[in-house]
Amino acid sequence: MSGVALGIEIVVVFFLALFLLHRYGDFRKQHRMVLFATLLAWFLCFLIVFILPLDVSTSIYNQCKINSNKEKAAVLPTEYSNQSTNSSISPTTSTKKVCHKPWSYIPDGILPVFWRVVYWTSQFLTWLLIPFMQSYARSGGFSISGKVKTALIENAIYYGTYLLIFCSLLIYVAVSPKLNLSWTQLQVIGITAANTWGLFLLVLLLGYGLVEIPRSYWNASCHGHLLAKTYFKASKLMTEKADAEENLEDVMEDVRNASEAIKYNHPLRKCIDTVLRKSPTEYQEKMGRNMDDYEDFDENRNPCPSKKSLVKLHKQVIYAVQRHNRTQVQWQALLEEAFHLEDVAKNETSAAHQFVHSFPSSEPPGWLSRVLYTPTIEWYWECLLRRWFYRALAVLLMLVSVAVVWSECTFFSPRPVLSLFAIFIQLAEKEYNYFYIEMACFFTIFYLCYCVYSTVFRIRVFNYYYLAPHHQTDAYSLQFSGMLFCRLTPPLCLNFLGLIHMDSTISGQQREQTAYTTIMGSMKVLSFIAKGFYIYYPMLILLLCIATYYSLGTRCLNMLGFQQFMGESNMTTDLVDEGRELIKRERRKRQRTEDGENRRREWRERYGDPREKYASRNRNTYSELKENNESVMNSSAFAPLSRRDRSDQTELLQDAEPLDFNAEEITETEDRRYTGGRYLATSLSRGRIFDDI
């Protein structure tokens, strides 16, 4: 099994990341560089979470071998002295400690190289490549050099902050008389700077998630509370959706004015074509119908915008379209959730014990759902079992959260061992239960990651980004998630190793280090961080959990004018009532659409499709006319033409009208038009790798 477990987990993690990217991203529409960067970021972060438990079990086995060798070396001189003094006495038997090799043991030398590649690749992605790609994609420039310049300027703040932290630590090490700078110590300074930034944000997010995650599952078991909160979200999202639509209309009005001012033979026409390609299809068709492409350009007719203003307009279009698409996707998802909750409320009083949906699902159910998740099973799950399952899960997660908070406040104490996770791992270490060690490490890291990452997408200030299933996540949210995962996962795993006392820098124990800790370097180079910030700053989680439990942040935002769901508040009640009316209106609208589709379907089943009927009738009439014409032509094919017939043909040719070269049916001009109905530049640009990110 040498290295087999590592290879299997790498393959499994890769396909897991690929599956999630296929679920949230869109392989057909989104750029390949965006998909590749996101896939690589997710893959590396998942690798850290999945491989770190194997590293822990391997280091425990190596520690067992070291202890066994020490005991053996201590016993041998005693046995030799006993044999020399009394040769007739048989050698004393000693109880040797047997070290059982774990099934997932990874040989020495593999993990250090593996962690070095994974860590530095993830840091390159999160600090350099992905932020640059985000700014590059949002840039309004029309050339690669312009987009690169804008991306560098926008990321100068982030790069400057990271460089400031690194330089501060570098000056501290250079001034310290006991330390000598080397390449290894410079790497440790860079790693420490990145982990310090990540741990600072990690504690803030973790303090909120450890309380809010169990509470959200408990509230999800209360159907009335969940439905009222959904109405509240609908009211707020409708306001944001209307604002996004209004903003998009204003931006499209500016685009229309610029498109009318810059005609087809203007040098900046290619820039307008690029802006039009980023616009929604309905606006493209509308502007294409209202624009005269064949009017010559006249500089004195209308003032044309400059290229700088077009760059600004291009950036506004990208932001407005992204915001509009985001609100549309979130609105549809919220409608489905509200309809489902209302269906659950209606089906709770059903005597048939079969779940009935108001509207059919947009996606057809699979064969597994049809066989296992029948309407009867769905009724028992949605109306009876789900609330009790969520309550039990909330209690379980609450206990885990309490254990995490206690361990974060006490993991610095090696004797006595107060960290609960360290106690569990040490008990399993005595029994050499490597499977339990790996499972406990995996589920603990997974829960910490879930609390941190879900908090990012729950907080309102981060609502600019979202992860929506069914290929509805935009490219910017995918890049943001990949960047955030790579930035928070390494310090989170390092903090976990401190919780289980596998980091000797924090716990002070002399034991075999994990390969992950050796790659992070010895934090003794920066003693004030290793013995101060890394130990005492995580205690802030306790205060953050108390503040989250009493909803202090929500109350403060509500006092500042940001409407939050506050239960019995007057503002909350008004927004809930407004959201209920919005959901009723959308339900009536969808019901009318469903009724119209049902009537048309019944009409086609009863009387057939009238279009096919008329088409067949026209085909029969055309065939009859064609046969009559052929018979007439055959009968008069060789008949000589009279003088009167020749004069009639000449008169018809003279009365023929000339062709209208301005008509829309001319194919020569249509070949140079964009499919949306608008005029694009006649010169075809070569597609580059970063053109359409």
Coordinates of all heavy atoms in Angstrom, one line a residue, residues 536-577:
Y536 N -2.9 33.5 21.3 CA -3.9 34.3 22.0 C -5.0 34.9 21.1 O -6.1 35.2 21.5 CB -3.3 35.4 22.8 CG -2.3 34.9 23.8 CD1 -1.0 34.9 23.7 CD2 -2.8 34.3 25.0 CE1 -0.1 34.4 24.6 CE2 -2.0 33.8 26.0 CZ -0.6 33.9 25.8 OH 0.2 33.3 26.7
Y537 N -4.7 35.1 19.8 CA -5.7 35.7 18.9 C -6.9 34.8 18.7 O -8.0 35.2 18.6 CB -5.1 36.1 17.6 CG -6.0 36.7 16.6 CD1 -6.6 38.0 16.8 CD2 -6.5 36.0 15.5 CE1 -7.5 38.5 15.9 CE2 -7.4 36.5 14.6 CZ -7.9 37.8 14.8 OH -8.8 38.4 14.0
P538 N -6.7 33.4 18.5 CA -7.9 32.6 18.4 C -8.9 32.6 19.6 O -10.0 32.2 19.4 CB -7.3 31.1 18.2 CG -5.9 31.4 17.6 CD -5.5 32.7 18.3
M539 N -8.4 33.1 20.7 CA -9.4 33.2 21.9 C -10.4 34.2 21.6 O -11.5 34.2 22.3 CB -8.6 33.6 23.1 CG -7.6 32.6 23.6 SD -6.8 33.1 25.1 CE -5.6 31.8 25.3
L540 N -10.2 35.1 20.6 CA -11.3 36.0 20.3 C -12.5 35.4 19.7 O -13.6 36.0 19.7 CB -10.7 37.0 19.2 CG -11.5 38.2 18.8 CD1 -11.8 39.1 20.0 CD2 -10.9 39.0 17.7
I541 N -12.4 34.1 19.3 CA -13.6 33.4 18.9 C -14.7 33.3 19.9 O -15.9 33.4 19.6 CB -13.2 31.9 18.4 CG1 -12.3 32.0 17.2 CG2 -14.4 31.1 18.2 CD1 -11.9 30.6 16.7
L542 N -14.3 33.2 21.2 CA -15.3 33.2 22.3 C -16.2 34.5 22.3 O -17.4 34.4 22.4 CB -14.6 33.0 23.6 CG -15.5 32.9 24.8 CD1 -16.5 31.8 24.7 CD2 -14.7 32.8 26.1
L543 N -15.5 35.6 22.2 CA -16.3 36.9 22.2 C -17.1 37.0 20.9 O -18.3 37.5 21.0 CB -15.3 38.1 22.3 CG -14.4 38.1 23.5 CD1 -13.5 39.3 23.4 CD2 -15.3 38.2 24.8
L544 N -16.6 36.6 19.8 CA -17.4 36.6 18.5 C -18.6 35.7 18.6 O -19.7 36.1 18.1 CB -16.5 36.3 17.3 CG -15.4 37.3 17.1 CD1 -14.5 36.7 16.0 CD2 -15.9 38.6 16.6
C545 N -18.4 34.5 19.2 CA -19.6 33.6 19.3 C -20.6 34.2 20.3 O -21.8 34.1 20.0 CB -19.1 32.3 19.9 SG -18.1 31.3 18.7
I546 N -20.2 34.9 21.3 CA -21.2 35.5 22.2 C -22.0 36.6 21.5 O -23.2 36.7 21.6 CB -20.5 36.0 23.5 CG1 -20.0 34.8 24.3 CG2 -21.5 36.8 24.3 CD1 -19.2 35.3 25.5
A547 N -21.2 37.4 20.7 CA -21.9 38.5 20.0 C -22.8 38.0 18.9 O -23.9 38.5 18.7 CB -20.8 39.4 19.3
T548 N -22.4 36.9 18.3 CA -23.3 36.3 17.3 C -24.5 35.6 17.9 O -25.6 35.7 17.3 CB -22.5 35.2 16.5 OG1 -21.3 35.8 15.9 CG2 -23.4 34.7 15.3
Y549 N -24.4 35.0 19.1 CA -25.5 34.4 19.7 C -26.6 35.4 20.1 O -27.8 35.2 19.9 CB -25.1 33.7 21.0 CG -26.2 33.0 21.7 CD1 -26.7 31.8 21.3 CD2 -26.7 33.6 22.9 CE1 -27.7 31.2 22.0 CE2 -27.7 33.0 23.6 CZ -28.2 31.8 23.2 OH -29.3 31.2 23.9
Y550 N -26.2 36.6 20.5 CA -27.2 37.7 20.8 C -27.5 38.6 19.6 O -28.1 39.6 19.8 CB -26.6 38.5 22.0 CG -26.7 37.7 23.3 CD1 -25.5 37.2 23.8 CD2 -27.8 37.5 24.0 CE1 -25.5 36.5 25.0 CE2 -27.9 36.8 25.2 CZ -26.7 36.3 25.7 OH -26.7 35.6 26.9
S551 N -27.0 38.2 18.5 CA -27.2 39.0 17.2 C -26.9 40.4 17.3 O -27.6 41.3 16.9 CB -28.7 38.8 16.8 OG -29.1 37.5 16.7
L552 N -25.7 40.7 17.9 CA -25.3 42.1 18.1 C -25.0 42.8 16.7 O -25.4 43.9 16.5 CB -24.1 42.2 19.0 CG -24.3 41.7 20.4 CD1 -23.0 41.9 21.2 CD2 -25.4 42.5 21.1
G553 N -24.4 42.0 15.8 CA -24.1 42.6 14.5 C -25.4 42.9 13.7 O -25.5 43.9 13.1
T554 N -26.4 42.0 13.8 CA -27.6 42.2 13.1 C -28.4 43.4 13.7 O -28.9 44.2 13.0 CB -28.5 40.9 13.3 OG1 -27.8 39.8 12.7 CG2 -29.8 41.1 12.5
R555 N -28.3 43.6 15.0 CA -29.0 44.7 15.6 C -28.3 46.0 15.3 O -29.0 47.0 15.0 CB -29.0 44.5 17.2 CG -29.8 43.3 17.6 CD -29.7 43.1 19.1 NE -30.3 41.9 19.6 CZ -31.6 41.7 19.8 NH1 -32.4 42.7 19.6 NH2 -32.0 40.5 20.2
C556 N -27.0 46.0 15.2 CA -26.3 47.2 14.8 C -26.6 47.6 13.4 O -26.8 48.8 13.1 CB -24.8 47.0 15.0 SG -24.3 46.9 16.7
L557 N -26.6 46.6 12.5 CA -26.9 46.9 11.1 C -28.4 47.4 10.9 O -28.6 48.3 10.1 CB -26.7 45.7 10.2 CG -25.3 45.2 10.0 CD1 -25.3 43.9 9.2 CD2 -24.5 46.3 9.3
N558 N -29.3 46.9 11.7 CA -30.7 47.3 11.7 C -30.8 48.8 12.2 O -31.6 49.6 11.6 CB -31.5 46.4 12.5 CG -33.0 46.5 12.2 OD1 -33.4 46.8 11.0 ND2 -33.9 46.4 13.2
M559 N -30.0 49.1 13.2 CA -30.0 50.5 13.7 C -29.5 51.5 12.7 O -29.9 52.7 12.6 CB -29.3 50.6 15.0 CG -29.9 49.9 16.2 SD -28.9 49.9 17.7 CE -28.8 51.7 17.9
L560 N -28.5 51.0 11.9 CA -27.9 51.9 10.9 C -28.7 52.0 9.6 O -28.3 52.8 8.7 CB -26.5 51.4 10.5 CG -25.4 51.4 11.6 CD1 -24.1 50.8 11.2 CD2 -25.2 52.9 12.0
G561 N -29.8 51.3 9.5 CA -30.7 51.5 8.3 C -30.7 50.3 7.4 O -31.4 50.3 6.4
F562 N -29.8 49.3 7.6 CA -29.8 48.1 6.8 C -30.8 47.1 7.4 O -30.6 46.5 8.4 CB -28.4 47.5 6.8 CG -27.3 48.4 6.2 CD1 -26.6 49.2 7.1 CD2 -27.1 48.5 4.9 CE1 -25.6 50.1 6.6 CE2 -26.2 49.4 4.3 CZ -25.4 50.2 5.2
Q563 N -31.9 46.9 6.6 CA -33.0 46.0 7.2 C -32.5 44.6 7.3 O -32.0 44.0 6.4 CB -34.2 46.1 6.2 CG -34.9 47.4 6.2 CD -34.3 48.4 5.2 OE1 -33.4 48.0 4.5 NE2 -34.8 49.6 5.3
Q564 N -32.7 44.1 8.5 CA -32.3 42.7 8.9 C -33.5 42.0 9.4 O -34.4 42.6 10.0 CB -31.1 42.7 9.9 CG -29.9 43.4 9.4 CD -29.2 42.7 8.2 OE1 -29.1 41.5 8.2 NE2 -28.8 43.5 7.3
F565 N -33.5 40.7 9.3 CA -34.6 39.9 9.8 C -34.6 39.8 11.3 O -33.7 39.2 11.9 CB -34.6 38.5 9.2 CG -35.8 37.7 9.6 CD1 -37.0 37.9 8.9 CD2 -35.8 36.7 10.5 CE1 -38.2 37.1 9.2 CE2 -36.9 35.9 10.8 CZ -38.1 36.2 10.2
M566 N -35.5 40.5 12.0 CA -35.4 40.7 13.5 C -36.6 40.1 14.2 O -36.9 40.5 15.3 CB -35.3 42.2 13.8 CG -34.0 42.8 13.4 SD -32.6 42.2 14.3 CE -33.0 42.8 15.9
G567 N -37.4 39.2 13.5 CA -38.5 38.6 14.2 C -39.7 39.4 14.3 O -40.4 39.6 13.3
E568 N -40.0 40.0 15.4 CA -41.2 40.8 15.7 C -41.1 42.3 15.4 O -41.9 43.1 15.9 CB -41.7 40.6 17.1 CG -42.0 39.1 17.4 CD -43.1 38.6 16.6 OE1 -44.0 39.3 16.1 OE2 -43.1 37.3 16.3
S569 N -40.0 42.7 14.7 CA -39.8 44.1 14.4 C -40.9 44.6 13.4 O -41.4 43.9 12.6 CB -38.4 44.4 13.9 OG -38.3 45.7 13.5
N570 N -41.3 45.9 13.6 CA -42.3 46.4 12.7 C -41.8 46.5 11.2 O -42.6 46.1 10.3 CB -42.7 47.8 13.1 CG -43.4 47.9 14.5 OD1 -44.1 46.9 14.8 ND2 -43.2 48.9 15.2
M571 N -40.6 46.8 11.0 CA -40.0 46.9 9.7 C -40.0 45.5 9.1 O -40.3 45.3 7.9 CB -38.6 47.5 9.7 CG -37.9 47.6 8.4 SD -38.8 48.7 7.2 CE -38.5 50.3 8.0
T572 N -39.6 44.5 9.9 CA -39.5 43.1 9.4 C -40.9 42.6 9.1 O -41.1 41.9 8.0 CB -38.9 42.2 10.5 OG1 -37.6 42.7 10.9 CG2 -38.9 40.8 10.1
T573 N -41.9 43.0 9.9 CA -43.3 42.5 9.6 C -43.8 43.1 8.2 O -44.4 42.5 7.4 CB -44.2 43.0 10.7 OG1 -43.8 42.4 11.9 CG2 -45.6 42.5 10.4
D574 N -43.5 44.4 8.0 CA -43.9 45.0 6.8 C -43.2 44.4 5.6 O -43.8 44.1 4.5 CB -43.5 46.5 6.8 CG -44.4 47.3 7.9 OD1 -45.4 46.7 8.3 OD2 -43.9 48.4 8.3
L575 N -41.9 44.1 5.7 CA -41.2 43.5 4.6 C -41.7 42.0 4.3 O -41.7 41.6 3.2 CB -39.7 43.5 4.9 CG -39.0 44.9 4.8 CD1 -37.6 44.7 5.2 CD2 -39.2 45.5 3.4
V576 N -42.0 41.3 5.4 CA -42.6 40.0 5.2 C -43.9 40.0 4.5 O -44.2 39.2 3.6 CB -42.7 39.3 6.6 CG1 -43.5 38.0 6.5 CG2 -41.3 39.0 7.2
D577 N -44.8 41.0 4.9 CA -46.1 41.1 4.2 C -45.9 41.5 2.7 O -46.6 40.9 1.8 CB -46.9 42.1 4.9 CG -47.3 41.7 6.3 OD1 -47.3 40.5 6.6 OD2 -47.6 42.6 7.1

